[in-house]
Amino acid sequence: MGSMVDTKAVFRQIYGDLKRELLQDPAFDFTPESRQWIDTMLDYNVPGGKLNRGLSVVDSFKLLKARRDLTSDELFQSCALGWCIEWLQAYFLVLDDIMDNSHTRRGQPCWFRNPKVGLIATNDGIILRNHIPRILKRHFNDKPYYVDLLDLFNEVEFQTASGQLLDLITTHEGEKDLSKYTLPVYRRIVQYKTAYYSFYLPVACALLMSGGNLDNFVDVKNILVEMGTYFQVQDDFLDCFGDPEFIGKIGTDIEDFKCSWLVVQALERANDAQKTLLSENYGKTDPECVAKVKALYKDLSLEGVFADYESESYEKLIGSIEAQPSKEVQEVLKSFLHKIYKRQK
């Protein structure tokens, strides 16, 4: 399979195959209503995003195979693992939206906001999570790395849920207290909540498929988690300074009292008066307050701080990547880095 365009088309087609199998799973005797519910629920929550995480399993596997053409089995299996990551993400997002009492996700109402759904969405989240081992059993049961795949998904799920806990108790606990927002706290939340499942997991899947033992790739894991941190810092920066037209969403980190990289940096640099201004205006929906916070970010020249962070991170990552013994692994890591470096959305 050549270009990105047809990979994405094949990937989307395989979603249909996996969904069909799940709707005919012999382990449960579906009624027409329950089958229809899951069909609708899957279409609403699983394939709607950019599919970056899922597609990067396929891309990474191709690079690990030194770009030789994949067999149709290899293509199907790498897509199936990619979809497992998209299922995992859907499970987290459905439940996160309930916990955060959110209203929209990917430009439509959150699943639980649909009148017929409500708190049934919690059980739907559990079903999404349980689809992953069903997919793995059906397509990888006979593989030597089957147990490693199960272990990998279980471990990353644990890390992500624990990162989510850390975020919830730091951000939502009691009275809004900015003093909890430090760089070590920020890094820890981001690494566990986002970096493991978004950056390490797709590459780990590709490594297992290509016969690797994950114990031999601890440094690769660390590089990817660092890359995931860099990605989230960019995301936080774009939330405030990106063009909403271009990035396709309106940032609300300030209103939402998020533990954003920007507020962490502002707190490190602010004098007492500026800290007071922050604590009086951060986490308020009033546009006046938001404007004051953004003005403070400009006064503290956080755009320059970000530019420095970006080039410094990039240099450091390139250095770590080039120290990798395997050329193929280097290719995979560089492809990730080049996808995210200096992105604007």
Side-chain angles (χ1 to χ4, degrees):
M1 311 301 301
S3 72
M4 185 62 206
V5 178
D6 52 24
T7 302
K8 194 163 193 169
V10 171
F11 188 68
R12 283 200 174 278
Q13 191 199 323
I14 286 170
Y15 165 76
D17 300 335
L18 296 173
K19 182 176 74 162
R20 194 161 45 252
E21 293 169 358
L22 291 164
L23 293 176
Q24 288 160 15
D25 194 318
F28 179 68
D29 188 11
F30 291 90
T31 61
E33 293 77 21
S34 61
R35 184 178 282 115
Q36 184 56 62
W37 180 281
I38 292 171
D39 192 336
T40 305
M41 185 271 291
L42 289 174
D43 285 352
Y44 196 96
N45 294 294
V46 179
K50 294 182 292 293
L51 310 181
N52 289 338
R53 293 167 182 82
L55 286 164
S56 59
V57 178
V58 186
D59 294 340
S60 299
F61 182 63
K62 281 183 181 168
L63 291 171
L64 291 173
K65 293 260 126 181
R67 293 195 161 84
R68 75 156 177 75
D69 283 337
L70 304 191
T71 66
S72 60
D73 278 352
E74 287 174 328
L75 182 59
F76 185 93
Q77 286 154 11
S78 58
C79 286
L81 290 180
W83 279 113
C84 285
I85 302 177
E86 296 293 335
W87 247 267
L88 182 70
Q89 166 150 271
Y91 148 58
F92 282 127
L93 298 185
V94 164
L95 296 181
D96 281 5
D97 285 342
I98 300 171
M99 288 183 260
D100 297 341
N101 198 28
S102 300
H103 288 272
T104 58
R105 158 84 55 196
R106 296 168 176 168
Q108 59 178 357
C110 300
W111 175 239
F112 83 99
R113 293 281 174 195
N114 287 281
K116 286 188 180 149
V117 181
L119 292 182
I120 297 175
T122 4
N123 193 68
D124 291 333
I126 295 169
I127 289 175
L128 286 165
R129 187 259 174 264
N130 279 284
H131 280 163
I132 297 165
R134 305 306 294 167
I135 294 169
L136 295 176
K137 184 177 173 69
R138 180 179 272 250
H139 297 285
F140 298 92
N141 194 20
D142 58 339
K143 302 279 182 285
Y145 54 86
Y146 177 53
V147 175
D148 306 87
L149 273 178
L150 291 173
D151 268 347
L152 173 65
F153 274 89
N154 285 330
E155 181 165 297
V156 170
E157 184 193 350
F158 170 63
Q159 289 169 317
T160 309
S162 303
Q164 171 71 354
L165 172 69
L166 204 53
D167 191 31
L168 290 166
I169 64 183
T170 307
T171 307
H172 303 270
E173 263 276 285
E175 257 328 280
K176 295 182 171 173
D177 172 20
L178 282 172
S179 71
K180 290 188 282 196
Y181 289 178
T182 64
L183 199 55
V185 166
Y186 173 82
R187 285 180 58 86
R188 179 179 262 165
I189 290 172
V190 167
Q191 286 176 0
Y192 288 102
K193 186 185 165 174
T194 307
Y196 281 103
Y197 95 89
S198 301
F199 285 80
Y200 172 60
L201 181 55
V203 175
C205 286
L207 284 168
L208 287 176
M209 270 192 73
S210 56
N213 175 344
L214 295 180
D215 296 337
N216 301 337
F217 293 100
V218 177
D219 40 356
V220 172
K221 181 198 283 194
N222 293 332
I223 292 169
L224 285 160
V225 168
E226 207 40 65
M227 236 182 262
T229 308
Y230 167 79
F231 177 85
Q232 188 60 51
V233 170
Q234 273 184 320
D235 212 63
D236 292 353
F237 178 80
L238 292 170
D239 185 274
C240 178
F241 293 108
D243 175 359
E245 276 304 308
F246 189 65
I247 58 178
K249 54 185 177 192
I250 296 156
T252 56
D253 285 358
I254 295 171
E255 294 92 321
D256 297 341
F257 200 73
K258 286 275 164 63
C259 183
S260 159
W261 183 83
L262 290 166
V263 80
V264 169
Q265 294 301 320
L267 288 163
E268 277 190 6
R269 290 170 167 75
N271 61 33
D272 289 345
Q274 292 170 318
K275 279 185 180 156
T276 303
L277 186 144
L278 256 183
S279 54
E280 285 171 359
N281 294 282
Y282 200 71
K284 305 270 197 297
T285 42
D286 177 4
E288 286 285 294
C289 299
V290 175
K292 282 182 189 168
V293 173
K294 289 195 180 186
L296 176 60
Y297 288 172
K298 294 238 200 266
D299 292 342
L300 296 168
S301 44
L302 293 190
E303 285 164 285
V305 175
F306 172 72
D308 293 346
Y309 168 84
E310 186 164 45
S311 49
E312 194 182 312
S313 280
Y314 183 80
E315 296 306 318
K316 225 169 53 211
L317 285 165
I318 285 287
S320 318
I321 290 169
E322 288 177 347
Q324 283 302 304
S326 153
K327 253 300 166 236
E328 288 78 21
V329 168
Q330 280 194 34
E331 286 291 310
V332 169
L333 294 171
K334 280 186 175 167
S335 83
F336 264 80
L337 185 54
H338 293 138
K339 262 181 252 177
I340 63 174
Y341 183 58
K342 298 246 155 131
R343 72 193 173 98
Q344 291 168 312
K345 61 198 304 180

